[in-house]
Amino acid sequence: MPTGSGVLVVGEVDASGAPRPISWEVLAAAKSVAGVAGGGVTALLMGSGIADAARAWGSAGADRVLTADAPEFAGLLPAVAAAAVTEAIQRTNPAVVLMPGTTSGRDYAPLVAARLKAGLAADCVELHEADGTLTATRPVLGGRALTRVTFPDSQPAMITIRAGSFAKAGPGATSPEVEPFVVTLAPDDLRVSMVELAAKGAVGSRLDSAAVVVSGGRGLKEPANFALVEELAESLGGAVGATRAVVDAGWRPHHEQIGQTGRTVSPRLYVAVGVSGAVQHNVGMQGSEQIVAINRDPDAPIFKIASFGIVGDLFEVVPALTAAIRDARS
Ligand SMILES: Cc1cc2nc3c(=O)[nH]c(=O)nc-3n(C[C@H](O)[C@H](O)[C@H](O)COP(=O)(O)OP(=O)(O)OC[C@H]3O[C@@H](n4cnc5c(N)ncnc54)[C@H](O)[C@@H]3O)c2cc1C
């Protein structure tokens, strides 16, 4: 194990200033490895105007909360976030650093590792401790295989956590001190600045935090038929997602793409409509609590990971489902 002690856990907030769902997961992961890390849990939250969010988030298990709270941290630009995390590591000397495997985390975590000349186990789905050794498990080859990573020489053990891999910690477990963490930003860290933060569209921008996601694939035949997916999503109060096949075809915007080269989501309910279930799609949604698949091919791979499967023509099944949900809700 590395020679430092304790865990540094990094959290992020969404555009509304609330902790992202994965922030609660990384905190739960931090608590699970605090023993092997031989110390407490220090939590670092980055954003602008985040004092209340930091207090609530940190109370889910941190012993100490640091807030990098300044306008420069809004939007979490990679160099600025990397500067904050690097400085927090240098000041707290943790044995283990856990970061969210978000789009931002995938940008800043490798920068931090490079600056510290440490290794990085990215996109981990499990952490184990045996005989005082920490092991992280991460999927490779598009989810077809798992590798186990140990950290004999790295200082510290740097890990990003894939969304949906850990149960979320709940607030109220601890009453940590919340301390402002003033970061020294070099001119190079500020070469890129945020000019404007604009919503990508009401539906797509909600994908990360939506409790329900309804995704459509090539089975919808043409872009206009995505109205069926939108209506089902609307009836469930959910967000719309898409496969790469339909994004590449120009039917849907890229920010709706779920999968290896798109977003990772872990809603309570994921409905896959006319989606075959290619491994590259599944890695982005298989952490969902319940998966419902609608496909006319009984052998479609999506049924292997579905909690509930409907074998049928989506053009019959989806309108009937939407009507039944609307009836039940009215
Ligand atoms: C390096 C790499 C990265 C990739 N990254 C991603 C990624 O991030 N996300 C992603 O999604 N894909 C990704 N892909 C592509 C992936 O391999 C698949 O090609 C893609 O997911 C298939 O999309 P689909 O399910 O919409 O289409 P298809 O595979 O064509 O499936 C369509 C499904 O619709 C069903 N269907 C057809 N008509 C009906 C009907 N009337 N009623 C009900 N069902 C019907 C069919 O039975 C079929 O199962 C990647 C591929 C590579 C090589």
Side-chain angles (χ1 to χ4, degrees):
M1 273 297 291
T3 52
S5 70
V7 185
L8 176 72
V9 55
V10 178
E12 297 174 5
V13 294
D14 63 20
S16 73
R20 288 187 191 280
I22 191 170
S23 298
W24 303 98
E25 286 186 47
V26 279
L27 200 41
K31 286 202 287 183
S32 76
V33 297
V36 66
V41 174
T42 301
L44 169 70
L45 193 67
M46 300 181 284
S48 180
I50 53 167
D52 290 345
R55 208 164 291 112
W57 176 60
S59 77
D63 300 300
R64 182 182 176 204
V65 180
L66 309 175
T67 54
D69 189 348
E72 291 83 359
F73 290 101
L76 229 48
L77 293 168
V80 174
V85 178
T86 305
E87 197 161 328
I89 293 169
Q90 286 164 339
R91 285 202 229 162
T92 60
N93 190 27
V96 179
V97 181
L98 298 183
M99 293 165 279
T102 53
T103 310
S104 303
R106 286 177 194 170
D107 276 343
Y108 64 73
L111 285 177
V112 176
R115 287 179 186 190
L116 295 174
K117 297 191 171 27
L120 174 69
D123 216 20
C124 296
V125 294
E126 276 178 22
L127 301 175
H128 303 278
E129 184 267 322
D131 301 329
T133 299
L134 176 66
T135 305
T137 304
R138 56 185 300 267
V140 291
L141 301 173
R144 285 191 182 86
L146 296 172
T147 52
R148 298 217 158 80
V149 182
T150 55
F151 307 88
D153 303 320
S154 290
Q155 170 56 19
M158 308 258 302
I159 296 166
T160 61
I161 298 291
R162 178 182 287 194
S165 304
F166 285 80
K168 297 181 178 81
T174 52
S175 315
E177 286 292 310
V178 178
E179 306 163 35
F181 185 71
V182 180
V183 183
T184 319
L185 294 171
D188 270 2
D189 298 328
L190 297 167
R191 274 191 303 183
V192 177
S193 59
M194 192 170 71
V195 178
E196 186 190 1
L197 188 61
K200 282 181 278 192
V203 175
S205 61
R206 289 175 41 225
L207 262 179
D208 286 342
S209 56
V212 177
V213 173
V214 183
S215 267
R218 199 150 41 189
L220 283 147
K221 311 284 187 239
E222 55 180 84
N225 293 333
F226 246 85
L228 294 173
V229 171
E230 288 169 348
E231 285 163 16
L232 180 56
E234 191 265 337
S235 74
L236 291 164
V240 171
T243 64
R244 177 167 166 175
V246 302
V247 169
D248 284 353
W251 297 6
R252 302 301 293 184
H254 182 264
H255 67 78
E256 289 182 4
Q257 184 177 316
I258 311 283
Q260 185 182 326
T261 43
R263 284 165 181 261
T264 301
V265 295
S266 51
R268 291 183 59 201
L269 172 64
Y270 188 92
V271 186
V273 177
V275 172
S276 58
V279 66
Q280 297 91 350
H281 182 79
N282 296 354
V283 293
M285 45 64 88
Q286 60 199 10
S288 307
E289 273 179 44
Q290 302 287 342
I291 297 170
V292 175
I294 303 166
N295 198 303
R296 69 178 177 189
D297 174 4
D299 297 322
I302 190 78
F303 288 126
K304 292 205 177 95
I305 61 160
S307 333
F308 302 95
I310 302 173
V311 180
D313 185 340
L314 69 89
F315 295 100
E316 292 169 16
V317 174
V318 175
L321 195 55
T322 305
I325 292 164
R326 283 181 178 155
D327 267 5
R329 293 204 153 184
S330 65

